[in-house]
Amino acid sequence: MLNKNPLWRYMLVIGVLLLALVYALPNLYPEDPALSISATRGGEVTEQVRAEIERNFDQAGISAKSVVLNQGQVLARFNTSEDQLQAREIAAEKLGDNYVTALNLAPATPAWLNAIGASPMKLGLDLRGGVHFLMAVDMKAAIDKNLQDMEQTFRADLREDKIRYRNVQADVANGHVKLTMRSAEDLAAAEAALKKRDRELVFSAGADEFSANISISEIRLKEIQEYALEQNITIIRNRVNEIGVSEPIVQRQGADRIVVQLPGVQDTAKAKEILGATATLEFRLVDTDADLGSALEGRVPPGTELFYSRDGRPVLLEKRIMLTGEHITGASSSFDEYSRPQVSIKLDAKGGNMLSAATRDAIGRRMASVFIEYKPSDELDEQGNPILVKSQEVINDATIQARLGRDFRITGIDSPGEAQNLSTLLRAGALLAPIQIVEERTIGPSLGKENIELGTTAILWGMVAVLIFMIIYYKAFGLVANVALVANLVLIVGVMSMIPGATLTLPGMAGIVLTVGMAVDANVLIFERIREELADGRSVQQAIHHGYDRAFATITDSNITTLLVALILFGIGTGPVKGFAITLAIGILTSIFTAVVGTRLLVNLFWGGRRVQSLPI
């Protein structure tokens, strides 16, 4: 019989709507003003720290909704923004420089929704407030660093091939590595050996006798710049995630720019600290033959550098760097067989090979782990940004017992908290090239709240206008379309909440408003087609059947073209344009589902398969 649907089809649509409704529910719970407190190097967030923070809030008369310790961070929730700001001042004063205190907004989703993975939509900067940075990557520094790495690599390659050289020196000013040999035969042998390993090296005659200048091709230069940009993006994203900023946006813009948006964060100074305080390790051999006393008097032997351990003990290390932290792919804190804290480190394939080659002939010697950290200072550069200061210290030195590879560990760490912080910073990594903040904006939560209210008002008034029109013009069928329209909005919100990378922006809300009009447009096409079928003398059941079938092709064609435009906008757009494209694409798919499938089920439920003489359309 025409216009009769099986029970499973009704159950499927109801199930989809219930699932979307459940995942849309968290958006009904407003976010709490919150304070996120995490440890920097030298600090450790423990239950005692959490209790002390809560006690300080109580003494100051601040009523906190909750102060909980989770995954090494304290999250304090408050009823008002005023309490949040006052609590931030107290926490910063009491805890000192060993902790990062950042303003944030924390979801207030009930526990039962959290248990099934339901969370509110991710809001963009324009709706939630936060900080926005546009950063430029110093590509020259990336190239200079590559030249210095080439110097170390050439030295190791020539030693491995037993080719004697006078000097290998990176000339960053002129963009090449100067190679000086003892004879023309040695120079030819060195050139052949190095070219065999890397065919993109460009050799030219040097100014001195038996010397050559080694540079890299233009293709390799572009690869270095591309790699520096992509790695900086990855490292910044890791750094922000490790600190605990929720839903950060880190995107590429152009050839050397990075856009960083931290929704919910209102403290620009702390945000800069989060982005700038990256750390890494260098592994060097300890020079036990040199005179430490002479070095302390200022006479540092050639080929060595003077460092200090964290307890102030001087250590002489070789200038040659065995390995740098850029090859670290993983770091985790644990305990050794004597229950002492340690950090287990994993290297990539290249780093493992480098360390294996460097320690092959160094068994029995001591290797030092040098911790290097860049922190913003009180001094400002010409653009008014804090100058990064390089801090380095020896965190441990141990005897090499066997040839090392891709997995090894460092010990001699003071506390489990120190080991955890060190592993966190190493996982985040060090920037491959310095970054300069060229644009900075702060959007307050009040402006974001106002944008949400205005956007919500626009959506509601748009829906009300459409609902009234459909009821007046199409009567009972208009009511069916309105039910589908409400279901469509629930589906959009539910799908947006379920997609991990989807972020709702103010243009995204405009996309929802547009989708409301487009969704009812499909119903208009269907209902007008049913009217035409009735006017041509078709029976009620035939008119319903042919109306939906024949309007489907038109609806599909028109929506597919719009969907293609949305996909193009998403592919080439950035920021707000992507937000608009996402909501538009999701809205197109959900509107086809509700307008074609949803309304047809309702129409068939009320009028399908019955002897009806006319339709309220």
Side-chain angles (χ1 to χ4, degrees):
M1 185 178 290
L2 284 177
N3 306 321
K4 295 292 287 185
N5 295 110
L7 180 61
W8 68 264
R9 191 170 295 176
Y10 288 101
M11 299 302 295
L12 176 63
V13 173
I14 292 173
V16 170
L17 291 177
L18 285 178
L19 181 66
L21 180 62
V22 168
Y23 279 89
L25 281 178
N27 296 281
L28 298 178
Y29 298 90
E31 293 179 312
D32 293 327
L35 209 61
S36 177
I37 302 172
S38 56
T40 59
R41 189 167 179 273
E44 181 181 0
V45 179
T46 62
E47 178 59 30
Q48 289 74 20
V49 173
R50 187 210 65 80
E52 179 186 355
I53 293 171
E54 188 171 22
R55 184 169 59 254
N56 291 330
F57 291 163
D58 292 338
Q59 292 174 354
I62 300 174
S63 176
K65 294 178 69 173
S66 65
V67 181
V68 297
L69 175 64
N70 185 26
Q71 296 181 349
Q73 290 185 347
V74 171
L75 181 66
R77 298 171 180 265
F78 304 94
N79 295 303
T80 64
S81 299
E82 290 74 16
D83 289 343
Q84 177 196 34
L85 294 173
Q86 187 180 354
R88 191 267 304 270
E89 295 177 0
I90 293 174
E93 177 185 352
K94 298 293 185 182
L95 296 177
D97 297 332
N98 290 334
Y99 298 87
V100 174
T101 305
L103 298 177
N104 212 330
L105 295 171
T109 309
W112 69 273
L113 287 173
N114 279 327
I116 61 173
S119 60
M121 282 186 292
K122 290 78 179 175
L123 301 181
L125 212 64
D126 49 2
L127 297 181
R128 196 180 186 195
V131 294
H132 167 101
F133 296 112
L134 177 62
M135 298 180 292
V137 180
D138 187 349
M139 291 302 179
K140 184 180 183 305
I143 296 172
D144 292 348
K145 183 178 183 300
N146 185 265
L147 289 174
Q148 294 168 353
D149 292 342
M150 286 170 58
E151 175 191 330
Q152 299 291 337
T153 302
F154 292 165
R155 290 175 183 270
D157 291 344
L158 293 175
R159 281 195 299 268
E160 184 176 341
D161 291 341
K162 296 181 173 56
I163 300 175
R164 301 178 65 189
Y165 59 87
R166 283 184 177 176
N167 190 30
V168 179
Q169 184 66 46
D171 186 354
V172 295
N174 296 307
H176 61 247
V177 176
K178 184 178 180 181
L179 176 65
T180 305
M181 307 301 291
R182 298 176 180 273
S183 65
E185 291 77 11
D186 288 343
L187 181 61
E191 181 175 348
L194 296 178
K195 275 190 173 180
K196 183 179 180 181
R197 286 182 168 85
D198 189 348
R199 297 188 176 277
E200 292 191 15
L201 296 177
V202 179
F203 284 77
S204 59
D208 301 330
E209 186 180 19
F210 309 135
S211 69
N213 297 327
I214 309 174
S215 56
I216 51 181
S217 64
E218 290 295 328
I219 296 177
R220 178 67 63 83
L221 280 175
K222 291 181 180 179
E223 290 177 354
I224 292 171
Q225 294 172 350
E226 189 76 14
Y227 179 73
L229 183 65
E230 294 299 329
Q231 284 296 102
N232 271 10
I233 290 174
T234 301
I235 291 165
I236 290 174
R237 186 180 289 117
N238 290 342
R239 179 61 174 165
V240 172
N241 289 339
E242 293 286 357
I243 295 297
V245 178
S246 60
E247 307 304 335
I249 297 174
V250 183
Q251 296 175 338
R252 173 177 179 167
Q253 181 170 308
D256 62 347
R257 301 294 175 95
I258 301 174
V259 173
V260 179
Q261 295 182 355
L262 308 179
V265 176
Q266 300 299 320
D267 193 333
T268 305
K270 289 298 181 185
K272 288 181 179 179
E273 184 176 348
I274 288 171
L275 297 176
T278 53
T280 188
L281 282 182
E282 285 182 355
F283 300 95
R284 307 189 186 199
L285 289 175
V286 178
D287 191 343
T288 55
D289 298 329
D291 187 355
L292 185 58
S294 299
L296 292 174
E297 294 175 0
R299 300 188 300 274
V300 180
T304 62
E305 287 186 72
L306 181 62
F307 288 84
Y308 290 89
S309 63
R310 63 184 56 186
D311 57 3
R313 178 174 56 89
V315 184
L316 270 177
L317 304 181
E318 292 185 0
K319 281 187 177 181
R320 182 171 68 92
I321 300 172
M322 305 169 67
L323 186 75
T324 59
E326 67 181 87
H327 298 288
I328 295 176
T329 59
S332 59
S333 59
S334 59
F335 296 92
D336 62 13
E337 57 272 18
Y338 303 105
S339 300
R340 296 175 300 191
Q342 66 176 14
V343 174
S344 299
I345 295 177
K346 292 183 179 295
L347 304 176
D348 59 18
K350 182 178 179 181
N353 293 335
M354 291 172 60
L355 189 61
S356 177
T359 57
R360 179 182 55 192
D361 300 323
I363 297 175
R365 296 190 60 183
R366 287 162 56 204
M367 184 180 75
S369 305
V370 182
F371 180 83
I372 301 172
E373 188 173 16
Y374 295 85
K375 289 185 176 181
S377 66
D378 295 332
E379 299 181 10
L380 303 178
D381 58 18
E382 296 178 355
Q383 286 75 31
N385 298 309
I387 297 176
L388 296 180
V389 177
K390 183 178 181 180
S391 169
Q392 50 189 12
E393 64 179 5
V394 177
I395 58 174
N396 88 313
D397 61 271
T399 302
I400 301 174
Q401 303 290 346
R403 190 173 180 179
L404 302 178
R406 295 182 62 177
D407 298 279
F408 67 101
R409 60 182 181 173
I410 58 175
T411 56
I413 301 173
D414 291 341
S415 65
E418 177 74 8
Q420 180 182 355
N421 294 332
L422 178 59
S423 63
T424 297
L425 291 170
L426 292 178
R427 284 196 303 271
L431 299 175
L432 294 190
I435 56 173
Q436 182 69 38
I437 297 176
V438 297
E439 181 185 338
E440 173 185 329
R441 293 201 309 266
T442 302
I443 301 175
S446 58
L447 179 60
K449 183 179 180 181
E450 182 181 353
N451 288 338
I452 293 176
E453 291 174 352
L454 292 174
T456 304
T457 300
I459 293 173
L460 291 178
W461 278 109
M463 282 200 65
V464 167
V466 171
L467 294 178
I468 293 175
F469 170 81
M470 293 299 289
I471 290 178
I472 293 175
Y473 197 74
Y474 291 108
K475 301 178 181 177
F477 271 64
L479 183 61
V480 169
N482 290 344
V483 172
L485 195 60
V486 174
N488 182 46
L489 188 60
V490 172
L491 280 172
I492 293 175
V493 176
V495 172
M496 287 284 292
S497 300
M498 283 188 278
I499 297 177
T503 301
L504 182 65
T505 60
L506 193 58
M509 298 188 80
I512 294 177
V513 176
L514 177 61
T515 302
V516 169
M518 294 175 62
V520 79
D521 181 57
N523 288 126
V524 170
L525 289 173
I526 293 170
F527 296 164
E528 288 300 324
R529 188 69 194 185
I530 292 175
R531 280 180 166 182
E532 291 177 4
E533 296 293 332
L534 290 173
D536 289 343
R538 302 273 189 185
S539 67
V540 168
Q541 300 304 323
Q542 288 177 330
I544 293 174
H545 179 75
H546 292 301
Y548 272 97
D549 283 353
R550 293 174 181 176
F552 179 74
T554 305
I555 295 171
T556 303
D557 290 344
S558 62
N559 282 281
I560 284 179
T561 54
T562 310
L563 181 62
L564 289 175
V565 173
L567 295 177
I568 293 171
L569 286 176
F570 181 81
I572 66 175
T574 58
V577 177
K578 280 184 179 288
F580 175 80
I582 289 174
T583 54
L584 181 60
I586 293 173
I588 290 170
L589 297 176
T590 57
S591 64
I592 292 177
F593 176 77
T594 54
V596 177
V597 179
T599 60
R600 189 166 193 171
L601 287 179
L602 287 176
V603 169
N604 289 345
L605 179 65
F606 291 113
W607 296 284
R610 299 180 183 179
R611 296 182 179 276
V612 182
Q613 300 301 319
S614 62
L615 291 175
I617 192 174

